[in-house]
Amino acid sequence: MKVNLNISGFDTEAVFPDKDIKTIHKPLVEKFTRLYQETQQRIVIFLSAPPGSGKSTLAAFWEYLSEQDEHLEPLQVLPFDGFHYPNDILDSNTTERNGETISLRSIKGSYETFNLTELIDKLKQLKVKDPKWPYYDRNLHDPVDDAIDVKRNIVVVEGNWLLLDEPVWQGLHKLADFSVFLDTEADFLQERLVNRKIRGGTSPEDALAFYHQSDAVNVEKVLNHSIKADLNLFMNHDGSFDIQ
């Protein structure tokens, strides 16, 4: 199926194999509806995956599928990126890495650069009210507080670090009703991320250098230091998925 989706304010054309829709995606969306029907309270789904895996596109596709069938409860995607610390905070704070003091701004996107306290608070609010959710503005390159109205009974929170196996972070999954993790090969993600940078106007040499300086660290961390999800999906090179 070829479908146009809105990802972070940009229209994106995505293609999903019909077989995967029938055996994975539609059954998952149906499962989310059943969870809501059983509890009659808001259902929180985590979709966790490394950079470059297409998690935002997949979450948007699940939202699309949920809106195509009147028997399904429509879901709402809530991006994790809005919990980035603002750039002024990243510029004025440091952390230790490999015995060296570095600026948080230099590792923007790593788990240390997100406001975990605020994320936990918002996740707890999802169960008792309709909170406002932050949004990451890719034109400003900064988060915007209270930009999204949470209105639907099923929400999919999508991001890199939702299942991170680090102190405090490792308890986040308890705030979700169901979790999904996207796994794949690191080399495949490198190819996707480098090509994304090149399409954005970066030279191949600079795109590869950026990957090794930034993305590679986050890819390794997510792939190898995430706790087990309720469902693991493996993404193949052709964009199809296998249930692990």
CSV table of all heavy atoms in Angstrom, one decimal, residues 129-186:
chain,number,residue,atom,x,y,z
A,129,LYS,N,-6.2,12.6,32.6
A,129,LYS,CA,-6.7,13.8,32.0
A,129,LYS,C,-6.2,13.9,30.6
A,129,LYS,O,-5.5,13.0,30.1
A,129,LYS,CB,-6.4,15.1,32.8
A,129,LYS,CG,-4.9,15.4,32.9
A,129,LYS,CD,-4.7,16.7,33.7
A,129,LYS,CE,-3.3,17.1,33.7
A,129,LYS,NZ,-3.1,18.4,34.5
A,130,ASP,N,-6.6,14.9,29.9
A,130,ASP,CA,-6.1,15.2,28.5
A,130,ASP,C,-5.1,16.3,28.6
A,130,ASP,O,-5.4,17.5,28.5
A,130,ASP,CB,-7.3,15.7,27.6
A,130,ASP,CG,-8.3,14.6,27.4
A,130,ASP,OD1,-8.0,13.4,27.7
A,130,ASP,OD2,-9.5,15.0,27.1
A,131,PRO,N,-3.8,15.9,28.7
A,131,PRO,CA,-2.8,16.9,28.9
A,131,PRO,C,-2.4,17.6,27.5
A,131,PRO,O,-2.8,17.1,26.5
A,131,PRO,CB,-1.6,16.1,29.4
A,131,PRO,CG,-1.8,14.8,28.8
A,131,PRO,CD,-3.3,14.6,28.8
A,132,LYS,N,-1.6,18.6,27.6
A,132,LYS,CA,-1.0,19.2,26.5
A,132,LYS,C,0.4,18.5,26.3
A,132,LYS,O,1.0,18.2,27.3
A,132,LYS,CB,-0.8,20.7,26.7
A,132,LYS,CG,-2.1,21.5,26.9
A,132,LYS,CD,-2.7,21.8,25.6
A,132,LYS,CE,-3.8,22.9,25.8
A,132,LYS,NZ,-4.5,23.2,24.5
A,133,TRP,N,0.8,18.3,25.1
A,133,TRP,CA,2.0,17.5,24.8
A,133,TRP,C,3.0,18.4,24.1
A,133,TRP,O,2.6,19.2,23.2
A,133,TRP,CB,1.7,16.3,24.0
A,133,TRP,CG,2.7,15.2,23.9
A,133,TRP,CD1,3.6,15.0,23.0
A,133,TRP,CD2,2.9,14.2,24.9
A,133,TRP,NE1,4.4,13.9,23.3
A,133,TRP,CE2,4.0,13.4,24.4
A,133,TRP,CE3,2.3,13.8,26.1
A,133,TRP,CZ2,4.4,12.3,25.1
A,133,TRP,CZ3,2.7,12.7,26.8
A,133,TRP,CH2,3.8,12.0,26.3
A,134,PRO,N,4.3,18.4,24.4
A,134,PRO,CA,5.2,19.2,23.7
A,134,PRO,C,5.5,18.7,22.3
A,134,PRO,O,5.3,17.5,21.9
A,134,PRO,CB,6.5,19.1,24.5
A,134,PRO,CG,6.4,17.8,25.2
A,134,PRO,CD,4.9,17.5,25.4
A,135,TYR,N,6.0,19.6,21.4
A,135,TYR,CA,6.3,19.3,20.0
A,135,TYR,C,7.7,19.8,19.7
A,135,TYR,O,8.1,20.9,20.1
A,135,TYR,CB,5.2,19.9,19.2
A,135,TYR,CG,5.5,19.7,17.7
A,135,TYR,CD1,5.2,18.5,17.0
A,135,TYR,CD2,5.9,20.8,16.9
A,135,TYR,CE1,5.4,18.4,15.7
A,135,TYR,CE2,6.1,20.7,15.5
A,135,TYR,CZ,5.8,19.5,14.9
A,135,TYR,OH,6.0,19.3,13.6
A,136,TYR,N,8.5,19.0,18.9
A,136,TYR,CA,9.8,19.5,18.5
A,136,TYR,C,9.6,20.2,17.1
A,136,TYR,O,9.3,19.5,16.1
A,136,TYR,CB,10.8,18.4,18.4
A,136,TYR,CG,12.2,18.9,18.1
A,136,TYR,CD1,13.0,19.4,19.2
A,136,TYR,CD2,12.7,18.8,16.9
A,136,TYR,CE1,14.2,19.8,19.0
A,136,TYR,CE2,14.0,19.3,16.6
A,136,TYR,CZ,14.8,19.8,17.7
A,136,TYR,OH,16.0,20.3,17.5
A,137,ASP,N,9.9,21.5,17.1
A,137,ASP,CA,9.8,22.2,15.8
A,137,ASP,C,11.1,22.1,15.0
A,137,ASP,O,12.1,22.6,15.5
A,137,ASP,CB,9.5,23.7,16.1
A,137,ASP,CG,9.1,24.5,14.9
A,137,ASP,OD1,9.8,24.4,13.9
A,137,ASP,OD2,8.1,25.3,14.9
A,138,ARG,N,11.0,21.5,13.9
A,138,ARG,CA,12.2,21.2,13.1
A,138,ARG,C,12.7,22.4,12.3
A,138,ARG,O,13.7,22.4,11.6
A,138,ARG,CB,12.0,20.0,12.2
A,138,ARG,CG,11.8,18.8,13.0
A,138,ARG,CD,11.9,17.4,12.3
A,138,ARG,NE,11.7,16.3,13.2
A,138,ARG,CZ,12.5,15.8,14.1
A,138,ARG,NH1,13.7,16.4,14.2
A,138,ARG,NH2,12.2,14.9,14.9
A,139,ASN,N,11.9,23.5,12.3
A,139,ASN,CA,12.4,24.8,11.7
A,139,ASN,C,13.1,25.6,12.8
A,139,ASN,O,14.2,26.2,12.5
A,139,ASN,CB,11.2,25.6,11.2
A,139,ASN,CG,10.5,24.9,10.0
A,139,ASN,OD1,11.2,24.4,9.1
A,139,ASN,ND2,9.2,24.7,10.0
A,140,LEU,N,12.6,25.6,14.0
A,140,LEU,CA,13.2,26.3,15.1
A,140,LEU,C,14.4,25.4,15.7
A,140,LEU,O,15.3,26.0,16.3
A,140,LEU,CB,12.2,26.6,16.2
A,140,LEU,CG,11.1,27.5,15.9
A,140,LEU,CD1,10.1,27.6,17.1
A,140,LEU,CD2,11.6,28.9,15.6
A,141,HIS,N,14.3,24.1,15.5
A,141,HIS,CA,15.3,23.2,16.1
A,141,HIS,C,15.2,23.3,17.6
A,141,HIS,O,16.2,23.3,18.3
A,141,HIS,CB,16.7,23.4,15.6
A,141,HIS,CG,16.8,23.2,14.1
A,141,HIS,ND1,16.7,22.0,13.5
A,141,HIS,CD2,17.0,24.1,13.1
A,141,HIS,CE1,16.9,22.1,12.2
A,141,HIS,NE2,17.0,23.4,11.9
A,142,ASP,N,14.0,23.5,18.2
A,142,ASP,CA,13.8,23.6,19.6
A,142,ASP,C,12.4,23.1,19.9
A,142,ASP,O,11.5,23.1,19.0
A,142,ASP,CB,13.9,25.1,20.0
A,142,ASP,CG,15.0,25.3,21.0
A,142,ASP,OD1,15.5,24.4,21.6
A,142,ASP,OD2,15.3,26.5,21.2
A,143,PRO,N,12.2,22.6,21.1
A,143,PRO,CA,10.8,22.1,21.5
A,143,PRO,C,9.9,23.3,21.8
A,143,PRO,O,10.3,24.4,22.1
A,143,PRO,CB,11.1,21.4,22.8
A,143,PRO,CG,12.3,22.0,23.4
A,143,PRO,CD,13.2,22.4,22.2
A,144,VAL,N,8.6,23.0,21.5
A,144,VAL,CA,7.5,24.0,21.8
A,144,VAL,C,6.6,23.3,22.9
A,144,VAL,O,6.0,22.3,22.6
A,144,VAL,CB,6.7,24.3,20.6
A,144,VAL,CG1,5.6,25.3,20.9
A,144,VAL,CG2,7.7,24.9,19.5
A,145,ASP,N,6.5,23.9,24.0
A,145,ASP,CA,5.7,23.4,25.1
A,145,ASP,C,4.2,23.4,24.8
A,145,ASP,O,3.7,24.4,24.1
A,145,ASP,CB,5.9,24.1,26.4
A,145,ASP,CG,7.3,23.9,27.0
A,145,ASP,OD1,7.9,22.8,26.6
A,145,ASP,OD2,7.8,24.7,27.8
A,146,ASP,N,3.4,22.4,25.2
A,146,ASP,CA,2.0,22.4,25.2
A,146,ASP,C,1.4,22.7,23.8
A,146,ASP,O,0.4,23.4,23.6
A,146,ASP,CB,1.4,23.5,26.1
A,146,ASP,CG,1.8,23.2,27.6
A,146,ASP,OD1,2.1,22.0,27.9
A,146,ASP,OD2,1.7,24.1,28.4
A,147,ALA,N,2.1,22.1,22.8
A,147,ALA,CA,1.7,22.4,21.4
A,147,ALA,C,0.7,21.4,20.8
A,147,ALA,O,0.0,21.7,19.9
A,147,ALA,CB,2.9,22.3,20.5
A,148,ILE,N,0.5,20.2,21.5
A,148,ILE,CA,-0.4,19.2,21.0
A,148,ILE,C,-1.5,18.9,22.0
A,148,ILE,O,-1.2,18.7,23.2
A,148,ILE,CB,0.4,17.9,20.7
A,148,ILE,CG1,1.5,18.1,19.6
A,148,ILE,CG2,-0.6,16.8,20.2
A,148,ILE,CD1,2.4,16.9,19.4
A,149,ASP,N,-2.8,19.0,21.6
A,149,ASP,CA,-3.9,18.6,22.4
A,149,ASP,C,-4.1,17.1,22.4
A,149,ASP,O,-4.3,16.5,21.3
A,149,ASP,CB,-5.2,19.3,21.9
A,149,ASP,CG,-5.2,20.8,22.2
A,149,ASP,OD1,-4.7,21.2,23.3
A,149,ASP,OD2,-5.6,21.5,21.2
A,150,VAL,N,-4.0,16.4,23.5
A,150,VAL,CA,-4.2,15.0,23.5
A,150,VAL,C,-5.7,14.8,23.7
A,150,VAL,O,-6.2,15.1,24.7
A,150,VAL,CB,-3.4,14.3,24.7
A,150,VAL,CG1,-3.6,12.8,24.7
A,150,VAL,CG2,-1.9,14.6,24.5
A,151,LYS,N,-6.3,14.1,22.7
A,151,LYS,CA,-7.7,14.0,22.8
A,151,LYS,C,-8.2,12.5,22.6
A,151,LYS,O,-9.4,12.2,23.0
A,151,LYS,CB,-8.4,14.8,21.6
A,151,LYS,CG,-8.1,16.3,21.8
A,151,LYS,CD,-8.8,17.1,20.7
A,151,LYS,CE,-8.7,18.6,20.9
A,151,LYS,NZ,-9.3,19.4,19.8
A,152,ARG,N,-7.4,11.7,22.0
A,152,ARG,CA,-7.9,10.3,21.7
A,152,ARG,C,-7.7,9.3,22.8
A,152,ARG,O,-6.8,9.5,23.7
A,152,ARG,CB,-7.3,9.8,20.4
A,152,ARG,CG,-7.8,10.6,19.2
A,152,ARG,CD,-7.3,10.1,17.9
A,152,ARG,NE,-8.1,10.7,16.8
A,152,ARG,CZ,-7.8,10.5,15.5
A,152,ARG,NH1,-6.8,9.7,15.1
A,152,ARG,NH2,-8.6,11.1,14.6
A,153,ASN,N,-8.4,8.2,22.8
A,153,ASN,CA,-8.4,7.2,23.8
A,153,ASN,C,-7.2,6.2,23.7
A,153,ASN,O,-6.9,5.5,24.7
A,153,ASN,CB,-9.7,6.4,23.9
A,153,ASN,CG,-10.9,7.3,24.3
A,153,ASN,OD1,-10.7,8.1,25.2
A,153,ASN,ND2,-12.0,7.2,23.6
A,154,ILE,N,-6.6,6.2,22.6
A,154,ILE,CA,-5.4,5.4,22.4
A,154,ILE,C,-4.3,6.3,21.8
A,154,ILE,O,-4.5,7.1,20.9
A,154,ILE,CB,-5.6,4.3,21.3
A,154,ILE,CG1,-6.8,3.4,21.8
A,154,ILE,CG2,-4.3,3.4,21.2
A,154,ILE,CD1,-7.1,2.3,20.8
A,155,VAL,N,-3.1,6.3,22.5
A,155,VAL,CA,-2.0,7.1,22.1
A,155,VAL,C,-0.8,6.3,21.9
A,155,VAL,O,-0.5,5.3,22.6
A,155,VAL,CB,-1.7,8.3,23.1
A,155,VAL,CG1,-2.8,9.3,23.1
A,155,VAL,CG2,-1.3,7.7,24.4
A,156,VAL,N,0.0,6.6,20.8
A,156,VAL,CA,1.2,5.9,20.5
A,156,VAL,C,2.3,6.9,20.8
A,156,VAL,O,2.5,7.8,20.0
A,156,VAL,CB,1.3,5.3,19.1
A,156,VAL,CG1,2.7,4.7,18.8
A,156,VAL,CG2,0.2,4.2,18.9
A,157,VAL,N,3.1,6.7,21.8
A,157,VAL,CA,4.3,7.5,22.1
A,157,VAL,C,5.5,6.9,21.3
A,157,VAL,O,5.8,5.7,21.6
A,157,VAL,CB,4.6,7.6,23.6
A,157,VAL,CG1,5.7,8.6,23.8
A,157,VAL,CG2,3.3,8.1,24.3
A,158,GLU,N,6.1,7.6,20.4
A,158,GLU,CA,7.2,7.0,19.6
A,158,GLU,C,8.5,7.8,19.9
A,158,GLU,O,8.5,9.0,19.9
A,158,GLU,CB,6.8,7.0,18.1
A,158,GLU,CG,6.4,8.3,17.5
A,158,GLU,CD,7.6,9.1,16.9
A,158,GLU,OE1,8.7,8.6,16.9
A,158,GLU,OE2,7.4,10.2,16.4
A,159,GLY,N,9.6,7.0,20.1
A,159,GLY,CA,10.9,7.7,20.3
A,159,GLY,C,12.0,6.6,20.5
A,159,GLY,O,11.7,5.4,20.5
A,160,ASN,N,13.2,7.2,20.6
A,160,ASN,CA,14.4,6.3,20.7
A,160,ASN,C,14.6,5.6,22.1
A,160,ASN,O,15.0,4.5,22.2
A,160,ASN,CB,15.7,7.1,20.4
A,160,ASN,CG,15.7,7.6,19.0
A,160,ASN,OD1,15.1,7.1,18.1
A,160,ASN,ND2,16.3,8.8,18.8
A,161,TRP,N,14.3,6.4,23.1
A,161,TRP,CA,14.8,6.0,24.4
A,161,TRP,C,13.7,5.5,25.4
A,161,TRP,O,13.9,5.4,26.6
A,161,TRP,CB,15.5,7.2,25.1
A,161,TRP,CG,16.5,7.8,24.2
A,161,TRP,CD1,16.5,9.1,23.6
A,161,TRP,CD2,17.8,7.2,23.9
A,161,TRP,NE1,17.7,9.3,22.9
A,161,TRP,CE2,18.5,8.1,23.1
A,161,TRP,CE3,18.4,6.0,24.1
A,161,TRP,CZ2,19.7,7.9,22.5
A,161,TRP,CZ3,19.6,5.7,23.6
A,161,TRP,CH2,20.3,6.6,22.8
A,162,LEU,N,12.5,5.2,24.9
A,162,LEU,CA,11.4,4.8,25.8
A,162,LEU,C,11.6,3.5,26.5
A,162,LEU,O,11.1,3.3,27.6
A,162,LEU,CB,10.1,4.7,24.9
A,162,LEU,CG,9.6,6.0,24.3
A,162,LEU,CD1,8.5,5.7,23.3
A,162,LEU,CD2,9.2,7.0,25.4
A,163,LEU,N,12.5,2.6,26.0
A,163,LEU,CA,12.8,1.3,26.7
A,163,LEU,C,14.3,1.3,27.1
A,163,LEU,O,14.8,0.2,27.3
A,163,LEU,CB,12.5,0.2,25.7
A,163,LEU,CG,11.0,0.1,25.3
A,163,LEU,CD1,10.8,-1.1,24.3
A,163,LEU,CD2,10.1,-0.2,26.6
A,164,LEU,N,14.9,2.4,27.3
A,164,LEU,CA,16.3,2.4,27.6
A,164,LEU,C,16.6,1.8,28.9
A,164,LEU,O,15.9,2.0,29.9
A,164,LEU,CB,16.8,3.9,27.7
A,164,LEU,CG,18.3,4.1,28.0
A,164,LEU,CD1,19.2,3.5,26.9
A,164,LEU,CD2,18.5,5.6,28.2
A,165,ASP,N,17.6,0.9,29.0
A,165,ASP,CA,17.9,0.2,30.2
A,165,ASP,C,19.0,0.9,30.9
A,165,ASP,O,20.2,0.6,31.0
A,165,ASP,CB,18.4,-1.2,29.8
A,165,ASP,CG,18.6,-2.1,31.0
A,165,ASP,OD1,18.2,-1.7,32.1
A,165,ASP,OD2,19.1,-3.2,30.9
A,166,GLU,N,18.6,2.1,31.5
A,166,GLU,CA,19.4,2.9,32.3
A,166,GLU,C,18.6,3.3,33.6
A,166,GLU,O,17.4,3.2,33.5
A,166,GLU,CB,19.8,4.2,31.6
A,166,GLU,CG,20.9,4.0,30.5
A,166,GLU,CD,22.3,3.7,31.0
A,166,GLU,OE1,22.5,4.0,32.2
A,166,GLU,OE2,23.1,3.2,30.2
A,167,PRO,N,19.3,3.7,34.7
A,167,PRO,CA,18.5,4.0,35.9
A,167,PRO,C,17.4,5.1,35.6
A,167,PRO,O,17.6,6.0,34.8
A,167,PRO,CB,19.6,4.6,36.8
A,167,PRO,CG,20.8,3.9,36.4
A,167,PRO,CD,20.7,3.7,34.9
A,168,VAL,N,16.3,4.9,36.2
A,168,VAL,CA,15.1,5.7,36.1
A,168,VAL,C,14.4,5.4,34.7
A,168,VAL,O,13.2,5.1,34.6
A,168,VAL,CB,15.3,7.2,36.3
A,168,VAL,CG1,14.0,7.9,36.2
A,168,VAL,CG2,16.0,7.4,37.6
A,169,TRP,N,15.1,5.5,33.6
A,169,TRP,CA,14.6,5.3,32.3
A,169,TRP,C,14.0,3.9,32.2
A,169,TRP,O,12.9,3.7,31.6
A,169,TRP,CB,15.7,5.4,31.2
A,169,TRP,CG,16.1,6.8,30.9
A,169,TRP,CD1,17.1,7.5,31.5
A,169,TRP,CD2,15.6,7.7,30.0
A,169,TRP,NE1,17.2,8.7,31.0
A,169,TRP,CE2,16.3,8.9,30.0
A,169,TRP,CE3,14.5,7.6,29.0
A,169,TRP,CZ2,16.0,10.0,29.2
A,169,TRP,CZ3,14.2,8.7,28.2
A,169,TRP,CH2,15.0,9.9,28.3
A,170,GLN,N,14.6,2.9,32.9
A,170,GLN,CA,14.2,1.5,32.8
A,170,GLN,C,12.8,1.3,33.4
A,170,GLN,O,12.2,0.2,33.2
A,170,GLN,CB,15.2,0.6,33.4
A,170,GLN,CG,15.5,0.8,34.8
A,170,GLN,CD,16.8,0.2,35.3
A,170,GLN,OE1,17.6,-0.3,34.5
A,170,GLN,NE2,17.0,0.2,36.6
A,171,GLY,N,12.3,2.2,34.1
A,171,GLY,CA,11.0,2.1,34.7
A,171,GLY,C,9.9,2.7,33.9
A,171,GLY,O,8.7,2.6,34.2
A,172,LEU,N,10.2,3.4,32.8
A,172,LEU,CA,9.2,4.0,31.9
A,172,LEU,C,8.2,3.1,31.4
A,172,LEU,O,7.0,3.4,31.3
A,172,LEU,CB,9.9,4.7,30.7
A,172,LEU,CG,10.5,6.1,30.9
A,172,LEU,CD1,11.1,6.6,29.6
A,172,LEU,CD2,9.5,7.1,31.6
A,173,HIS,N,8.6,1.8,31.1
A,173,HIS,CA,7.7,0.9,30.4
A,173,HIS,C,6.5,0.6,31.3
A,173,HIS,O,5.4,0.1,30.8
A,173,HIS,CB,8.4,-0.4,30.1
A,173,HIS,CG,8.8,-1.3,31.2
A,173,HIS,ND1,9.8,-1.0,32.0
A,173,HIS,CD2,8.2,-2.4,31.7
A,173,HIS,CE1,9.9,-1.9,33.0
A,173,HIS,NE2,8.9,-2.8,32.8
A,174,LYS,N,6.6,0.8,32.6
A,174,LYS,CA,5.5,0.5,33.5
A,174,LYS,C,4.4,1.5,33.3
A,174,LYS,O,3.2,1.3,33.8
A,174,LYS,CB,6.0,0.6,35.0
A,174,LYS,CG,7.0,-0.5,35.3
A,174,LYS,CD,7.5,-0.3,36.7
A,174,LYS,CE,8.6,-1.3,37.1
A,174,LYS,NZ,9.2,-1.2,38.4
A,175,LEU,N,4.7,2.6,32.6
A,175,LEU,CA,3.6,3.7,32.4
A,175,LEU,C,2.9,3.4,31.0
A,175,LEU,O,2.1,4.2,30.6
A,175,LEU,CB,4.3,5.0,32.4
A,175,LEU,CG,4.9,5.5,33.7
A,175,LEU,CD1,5.6,6.8,33.6
A,175,LEU,CD2,3.9,5.5,34.8
A,176,ALA,N,3.3,2.3,30.3
A,176,ALA,CA,2.7,2.0,29.1
A,176,ALA,C,1.9,0.7,29.2
A,176,ALA,O,2.2,-0.2,30.1
A,176,ALA,CB,3.8,1.7,28.0
A,177,ASP,N,0.8,0.6,28.4
A,177,ASP,CA,0.0,-0.6,28.4
A,177,ASP,C,0.5,-1.7,27.5
A,177,ASP,O,0.2,-2.9,27.7
A,177,ASP,CB,-1.4,-0.3,28.0
A,177,ASP,CG,-2.1,0.7,29.0
A,177,ASP,OD1,-2.5,0.3,30.1
A,177,ASP,OD2,-2.1,1.9,28.7
A,178,PHE,N,1.3,-1.3,26.5
A,178,PHE,CA,1.9,-2.2,25.6
A,178,PHE,C,3.1,-1.5,24.9
A,178,PHE,O,3.0,-0.3,24.6
A,178,PHE,CB,0.9,-2.6,24.5
A,178,PHE,CG,1.3,-3.8,23.7
A,178,PHE,CD1,1.1,-5.1,24.1
A,178,PHE,CD2,1.8,-3.6,22.4
A,178,PHE,CE1,1.5,-6.2,23.3
A,178,PHE,CE2,2.2,-4.7,21.6
A,178,PHE,CZ,2.0,-6.0,22.1
A,179,SER,N,4.1,-2.3,24.6
A,179,SER,CA,5.3,-1.7,24.0
A,179,SER,C,5.8,-2.5,22.8
A,179,SER,O,5.7,-3.8,22.8
A,179,SER,CB,6.5,-1.7,25.1
A,179,SER,OG,6.8,-2.9,25.6
A,180,VAL,N,6.3,-1.8,21.8
A,180,VAL,CA,6.8,-2.4,20.6
A,180,VAL,C,8.2,-1.9,20.4
A,180,VAL,O,8.4,-0.7,20.5
A,180,VAL,CB,5.9,-2.0,19.4
A,180,VAL,CG1,6.5,-2.7,18.1
A,180,VAL,CG2,4.5,-2.5,19.6
A,181,PHE,N,9.1,-2.8,20.0
A,181,PHE,CA,10.5,-2.3,19.7
A,181,PHE,C,10.8,-2.7,18.3
A,181,PHE,O,10.5,-3.9,17.8
A,181,PHE,CB,11.5,-3.0,20.6
A,181,PHE,CG,12.9,-2.6,20.4
A,181,PHE,CD1,13.3,-1.3,20.9
A,181,PHE,CD2,13.8,-3.4,19.7
A,181,PHE,CE1,14.7,-0.9,20.7
A,181,PHE,CE2,15.1,-3.0,19.5
A,181,PHE,CZ,15.5,-1.7,20.0
A,182,LEU,N,11.4,-1.8,17.5
A,182,LEU,CA,11.9,-2.1,16.2
A,182,LEU,C,13.4,-2.4,16.2
A,182,LEU,O,14.1,-1.5,16.6
A,182,LEU,CB,11.6,-0.9,15.2
A,182,LEU,CG,10.2,-0.4,15.0
A,182,LEU,CD1,10.1,0.7,14.0
A,182,LEU,CD2,9.3,-1.6,14.7
A,183,ASP,N,13.7,-3.5,15.7
A,183,ASP,CA,15.1,-4.0,15.7
A,183,ASP,C,15.5,-4.0,14.2
A,183,ASP,O,14.7,-4.2,13.3
A,183,ASP,CB,15.3,-5.3,16.3
A,183,ASP,CG,16.7,-5.7,16.6
A,183,ASP,OD1,17.6,-4.8,16.4
A,183,ASP,OD2,16.9,-6.8,17.0
A,184,THR,N,16.8,-3.9,13.9
A,184,THR,CA,17.3,-4.0,12.6
A,184,THR,C,18.8,-4.0,12.7
A,184,THR,O,19.4,-4.0,13.8
A,184,THR,CB,16.8,-2.9,11.6
A,184,THR,OG1,17.1,-3.3,10.3
A,184,THR,CG2,17.5,-1.6,12.0
A,185,GLU,N,19.5,-4.1,11.5
A,185,GLU,CA,21.0,-4.1,11.5
A,185,GLU,C,21.5,-2.7,11.6
A,185,GLU,O,21.0,-1.8,10.9
A,185,GLU,CB,21.5,-4.8,10.2
A,185,GLU,CG,21.0,-6.3,10.1
A,185,GLU,CD,21.3,-6.8,8.7
A,185,GLU,OE1,21.9,-6.1,7.9
A,185,GLU,OE2,21.0,-8.0,8.5
A,186,ALA,N,22.6,-2.5,12.4
A,186,ALA,CA,23.2,-1.2,12.5
A,186,ALA,C,23.7,-0.7,11.2
A,186,ALA,O,23.6,0.5,10.9
A,186,ALA,CB,24.3,-1.3,13.5
